[in-house]
Amino acid sequence: MVRHTIEKAAEIIFSLCAFMAVAAVFSITLYMIANGLPAIFQAGWKEILFSSVWQPTAQEPSFGILYVILTSIVGTFLAVLLGVPVGLLTAVFLAETAPDSLAAVIRPAVELLAGIPSVIYGVLGMLILNPFLYRLEQKLFAGSQTHQFTGGANLLSAVIVLAVMILPTVISISETALRAVPPELKACSLALGASPVTTVFRVTIPAARSGILAAVVLGVGRAVGEAMAISLVSGNSVNLPLPFQSVRFLTTAIVSEMGYAGGLHRQVLFTIGLILFVFIMMINGILSSILKGERLE
Amino acid sequence: MSQNKISTDKLNLYYGDNHILKDITIGIRAKAVTALIGPSGCGKSTFLKSLNRMNDLIDGVRIEGTVYLDGKDIYGPQVDVTRLRKRVGMVFQQPNPFPMSIYDNIAYGPKVHGVKSKERLDEIVEQSLRQAAVWEEVENQLRKPALGLSGGQKQRLCIARALAVEPEVLLMDEPTSALDPASTLKVEELINRLKRKYTIIIVTHNMQQAVRVSDDTAFFLLGEMVECGTTDRLFARPTDRRTKEYITGKFG
Ligand SMILES: Nc1ncnc2c1ncn2[C@@H]1O[C@H](COP(=O)(O)OP(=O)(O)OP(=O)(O)O)[C@@H](O)[C@H]1O
Ligand SMILES: [Mg+2]
């Protein structure tokens, strides 16, 4: 009898906890929509999404976030373009070629990389990357009349920092996917006279493709949502996302302005949050459809 | 001796400290089917894999003695392992098509070995699938994933895949043990046809199968090759007591 009561109680507690997670997602969604939408009606969605003039505190304020959206998209894309090949090849190395002793050193190092707080990445970026890129900038744009010097705090810095930050995600998930490929499949390829390198690229990676794709998508998610590190290295002014321009991301816009913004300005920042939220939702949607496809195969 | 495609001389193989193959000396006739029989764990698969150097992939393997293919030592310093494996193809116990289309499965090997022309690849794909007696069943779905085929079709696809690189020798490790009787029959007929062109070595647990498909048989026990000879002779008049006990089902 007592046992029965405990069982029942446990069941109720489990369902309550599960319900809380669902309730949190649900209320966040509602809250984001309720707070993000008003500015769109007030300022007009064209004015916000398709104008590039961001002057929220001017006499005649203008709330165009086109450049900010573009920066997040381009920055994330470039970071993935840089980080995914490096991460995937690292995963191949760990899963296929590294001797156990070496893998035993690299794997914890990668895990450590994942555990470093993002503000540290930002600080290191400021100290190491920015001066380096500033020197490069001075060389590239020497004598230019039009270039606004960024001191190295620009899109390129942010992209590099993001690329490093998504590495652990890409590496560990791709490695798991590569290890899950049956050894017999690789043996079939080798037995046909394919070299080990050919086998990795033509059989093992294709066979692990859905896992690797999931790694990429999670990397994109991490890059889109990152704020702290890139707010320190990206220069933080609203510009078209070109490598040597200071830029502002969706996330860094909120971080840097929420403190003092009021009125419509503040509401537009919520709209930015809503856009970010939609991006993340889309990424999650893509991920779950990949995983579903995986199960069907 | 001259018509031997493959021969081994005092072949010894160790996994770490375990002595798996002991002084194996055998000649495999060209364009004939040789069956390897023997109880589980006696080293048949290990022996087979030492003929195309698939054991190289395993850590801690040590090999002594020599294996000759057309009189040349395949463990010699000049040997290109990928060339060797192209010449000595392998079909595994579990059919394992690559997760790609039927066409790409067959075209994989030739592409790896440098065939680029689309027409030539089309030709190879059709010819290999025909040779493996599975063309009629798949010709209308070449672009479909190979993983959708039945077990028996998959195995014949894997045979076709091995044939596509034009090997001289085909090693088959219990190729029918995962198949139903009808598919088994198809694969056996296939082996009978293929031996006109290829030297075939097949591992089997099924005595009837050995009698049906092979010209020669070698009996392995605890890492030793106890007896070998023509299949007719070995099954009718085994010279070794252990062979006799095994083929009459006394043990194993
Ligand atoms: N990768 C390996 N590492 C260590 N020992 C192994 C390995 N593979 C096989 N062995 C050992 O080598 C011996 C021979 O194995 P093998 O697979 O060649 O036997 P088999 O005759 O093919 O058996 P079966 O009929 O069950 O397939 C066995 O004792 C096995 O435990
Ligand atoms: Mg075996």
Side-chain angles (χ1 to χ4, degrees):
Chain A
M1 195 60 215
V2 175
R3 166 169 278 149
H4 185 75
T5 319
I6 293 175
E7 290 282 329
K8 260 275 165 297
E11 229 169 79
I12 291 171
I13 291 171
F14 295 153
S15 350
L16 269 180
C17 291
F19 176 75
M20 257 155 61
V22 176
V25 171
F26 193 68
S27 55
I28 289 172
T29 310
L30 272 186
Y31 189 84
M32 290 310 300
I33 293 173
N35 286 283
L37 280 184
I40 293 184
F41 291 120
Q42 241 169 296
W45 60 277
K46 277 190 193 149
E47 271 312 296
I48 294 184
L49 296 181
F50 295 108
S51 152
S52 57
V53 184
W54 176 255
Q55 281 166 347
T57 50
Q59 203 68 16
E60 290 270 317
S62 172
F63 297 104
I65 59 168
L66 180 63
Y67 283 170
V68 181
I69 296 179
L70 283 181
T71 299
S72 269
I73 293 174
V74 171
T76 300
F77 177 76
L78 292 178
V80 167
L81 207 64
L82 197 65
V84 165
V86 175
L88 181 57
L89 292 184
T90 310
V92 167
F93 178 69
L94 286 175
E96 299 282 326
T97 47
D100 289 348
S101 54
L102 199 53
V105 176
I106 296 177
R107 211 170 286 124
V110 170
E111 275 157 26
L112 198 65
L113 211 54
I116 295 174
S118 70
V119 64
I120 304 283
Y121 282 99
V123 171
L124 291 178
M126 276 176 84
L127 290 177
I128 303 165
L129 207 53
N130 286 357
F132 176 74
L133 285 179
Y134 186 40
R135 255 179 281 145
L136 192 62
E137 188 182 21
Q138 282 170 322
K139 281 224 183 71
L140 284 176
F141 295 94
S144 162
Q145 302 293 314
T146 49
H147 182 70
Q148 282 226 335
F149 280 89
T150 62
N154 49 33
L155 180 69
L156 199 53
S157 286
V159 164
I160 294 172
V161 168
L162 282 177
V164 175
M165 291 184 75
I166 64 171
L167 274 183
T169 312
V170 175
I171 293 172
S172 66
I173 295 177
S174 319
E175 191 197 343
T176 310
L178 290 170
R179 280 192 187 279
V181 175
E184 297 82 26
L185 213 55
K186 296 176 223 167
C188 285
S189 168
L190 294 167
L192 286 166
S195 70
V197 173
T198 307
T199 301
V200 163
F201 284 104
R202 307 272 296 267
V203 172
T204 316
I205 291 180
R209 62 181 173 250
S210 55
I212 292 169
L213 222 59
V216 173
V217 173
L218 281 174
V220 170
R222 172 122 210 241
V224 168
E226 175 50 38
M228 202 59 230
I230 51 176
S231 79
L232 291 174
V233 299
S234 63
N236 229 346
S237 56
V238 179
N239 273 315
L240 192 65
L242 294 174
F244 285 95
Q245 298 223 45
S246 288
V247 289
R248 191 175 294 179
F249 291 76
L250 289 169
T251 48
T252 57
I254 299 175
V255 168
S256 55
E257 293 176 39
M258 197 54 105
Y260 64 83
L264 188 54
H265 182 194
R266 187 179 167 85
Q267 286 187 315
V268 173
L269 291 184
F270 276 112
T271 305
I272 293 181
L274 180 61
I275 293 169
L276 203 55
F277 187 73
V278 169
F279 275 170
I280 297 289
M281 283 299 180
M282 274 161 43
I283 290 164
N284 268 308
I286 294 171
L287 183 62
S288 61
S289 69
I290 290 173
L291 296 180
K292 204 184 285 163
E294 163 102 303
R295 242 172 285 133
L296 286 183
E297 257 181 39
Chain B
M1 213 35 196
S2 63
Q3 55 177 0
N4 281 347
K5 183 74 184 172
I6 291 181
S7 57
T8 67
D9 185 25
K10 294 221 168 56
L11 180 68
N12 282 280
L13 185 143
Y14 306 80
Y15 283 133
D17 293 333
N18 294 336
H19 195 175
I20 306 293
L21 296 178
K22 297 168 188 161
D23 274 338
I24 307 236
T25 300
I26 188 176
I28 308 282
R29 282 197 287 155
K31 304 207 172 155
V33 178
T34 302
L36 306 182
I37 60 170
S40 190
C42 66
K44 305 179 296 293
S45 299
T46 306
F47 176 71
L48 211 59
K49 282 190 264 172
S50 63
L51 303 182
N52 65 345
R53 294 188 57 172
M54 288 298 281
N55 286 322
D56 290 16
L57 306 171
I58 302 165
D59 287 335
V61 171
R62 190 157 52 84
I63 292 169
E64 288 162 5
T66 14
V67 177
Y68 298 102
L69 174 65
D70 287 335
K72 296 219 177 61
D73 181 6
I74 67 166
Y75 286 90
Q78 307 293 339
V79 173
D80 174 359
V81 180
T82 60
R83 284 278 315 152
L84 169 72
R85 293 192 186 135
K86 179 185 178 302
R87 295 177 63 194
V88 184
M90 187 160 209
V91 175
F92 297 80
Q93 181 172 1
Q94 292 294 333
N96 249 318
F98 299 132
M100 33 175 115
S101 71
I102 293 171
Y103 183 97
D104 289 336
N105 260 277
I106 310 297
Y108 179 82
K111 275 188 192 159
V112 161
H113 294 289
V115 178
K116 293 216 174 64
S117 125
K118 173 93 177 59
E119 294 84 60
R120 181 77 191 107
L121 285 171
D122 287 351
E123 219 173 276
I124 294 174
V125 168
E126 174 167 354
Q127 189 190 336
S128 310
L129 288 167
R130 277 191 194 283
Q131 273 194 69
V134 60
W135 170 254
E136 273 82 24
E137 290 156 70
V138 300
E139 63 176 318
N140 295 321
Q141 38 172 329
L142 292 177
R143 297 290 165 189
K144 295 232 180 86
L147 295 175
L149 296 173
S150 77
Q153 289 171 331
K154 275 186 199 158
Q155 189 61 301
R156 278 175 287 143
L157 178 83
C158 288
I159 295 173
R161 182 175 67 184
L163 296 178
V165 298
E166 301 176 336
E168 299 156 34
V169 179
L170 205 52
L171 310 174
M172 306 176 107
D173 196 347
E174 303 184 42
T176 62
S177 68
L179 306 185
D180 64 282
S183 306
T184 299
L185 192 66
K186 284 207 175 112
V187 172
E188 287 181 6
E189 286 167 2
L190 179 59
I191 293 171
N192 267 322
R193 259 182 302 116
L194 291 177
K195 77 172 176 194
R196 270 176 247 143
K197 254 186 95 181
Y198 306 91
T199 302
I200 297 177
I201 307 180
I202 176 174
V203 171
T204 176
H205 275 283
N206 181 329
M207 300 302 136
Q208 282 83 40
Q209 183 168 65
V211 172
R212 280 195 302 264
V213 302
S214 72
D215 305 293
D216 297 331
T217 298
F219 171 57
F220 280 64
L221 184 63
L222 299 172
E224 282 174 67
M225 208 232 2
V226 173
E227 182 172 355
C228 70
T230 64
T231 301
D232 294 341
R233 200 277 300 154
L234 188 130
F235 278 90
R237 294 181 305 282
T239 52
D240 196 289
R241 180 183 46 83
R242 294 167 292 177
T243 314
K244 185 170 180 187
E245 283 175 1
Y246 184 73
I247 60 180
T248 53
K250 293 260 171 57
F251 67 86

